[in-house]
Amino acid sequence: MGEKELELLEILEKNGRLPLTDLAKMLDSTEEDVNQMIKHLEDEQIILKYATIVNWNKVDKQQGVTAMIDVKVTPKREVGFDAIAERIYRFSEVKSVYLMSGAYDLSVIIEGETLHQVSRFVSEKLSTLDSVLSTTTHFIMKKYKHDGTIFEEKDKDHRIVVSP
């Protein structure tokens, strides 16, 4: 992978909505070259998706429940953790699955409409899988920062401090 492609990835990761003209200027390249680089990165599945971060706290709508679940599993011979991770990420409630170091093997992030729906997922779907030994569920109460985006940055007081 070339240096320009790496730079392009870093730029798009911060803001995937930049116009081709701006990207071309930033990379000192032509729009056509940038467009070809993006297509190549998409075809190679290096760029998988363009996403929007939404602060649901500011939307008048039931926000639902997000939970982070630590999962301890028994890895399968010859496939390790991959097979159980795949079984877990295929559930529609699951938004993310990560292989972790430490006390637990997998970190699973799920979303549901209610606490009851999340608890049913854990007790009826996740915990019943053959390889799952134990789970610990943590409910997200408030998001402060997600993917580098601060949700509610306070206005800073820029006045000079005056003291007697």
Side-chain angles (χ1 to χ4, degrees), residues 61-66 93 111-118:
K61 171 189 175 285
Q62 183 174 346
Q63 300 164 27
V65 178
T66 303
E93 298 90 342
E111 292 179 357
E113 292 181 20
T114 63
L115 287 172
H116 182 69
Q117 186 182 35
V118 170

Side-chain angles (χ1 to χ4, degrees), residues 51-59 143 146 149 151:
T52 301
I53 298 172
V54 177
N55 186 351
W56 286 107
N57 291 330
K58 295 191 176 211
V59 177
K143 285 185 184 178
H146 180 78
T149 301
F151 277 70

Side-chain angles (χ1 to χ4, degrees), residues 1-66:
M1 177 172 300
E3 196 173 305
K4 286 213 185 219
E5 286 181 320
L6 287 173
E7 191 175 350
L8 175 62
L9 288 172
E10 289 173 3
I11 293 168
L12 289 175
E13 189 174 40
K14 290 179 185 157
N15 185 355
R17 292 182 52 126
L18 286 172
L20 274 176
T21 54
D22 293 355
L23 291 170
K25 287 176 188 173
M26 295 169 83
L27 295 168
D28 192 28
S29 199
T30 67
E31 288 182 39
E32 185 178 320
D33 288 345
V34 172
N35 196 32
Q36 287 177 356
M37 278 192 281
I38 291 172
K39 179 161 179 19
H40 174 256
L41 293 167
E42 290 171 345
D43 290 345
E44 293 296 315
Q45 294 188 344
I46 295 169
I47 295 176
L48 298 174
K49 182 178 180 179
Y50 299 90
T52 301
I53 298 172
V54 177
N55 186 351
W56 286 107
N57 291 330
K58 295 191 176 211
V59 177
D60 293 332
K61 171 189 175 285
Q62 183 174 346
Q63 300 164 27
V65 178
T66 303

Side-chain angles (χ1 to χ4, degrees), residues 53-93:
I53 298 172
V54 177
N55 186 351
W56 286 107
N57 291 330
K58 295 191 176 211
V59 177
D60 293 332
K61 171 189 175 285
Q62 183 174 346
Q63 300 164 27
V65 178
T66 303
M68 299 175 76
I69 306 166
D70 298 325
V71 185
K72 188 152 190 67
V73 299
T74 303
K76 301 271 186 192
R77 184 172 295 211
E78 296 183 25
V79 291
F81 295 100
D82 295 346
I84 188 65
E86 183 177 351
R87 285 194 66 196
I88 292 170
Y89 71 60
R90 295 222 179 265
F91 289 114
S92 62
E93 298 90 342

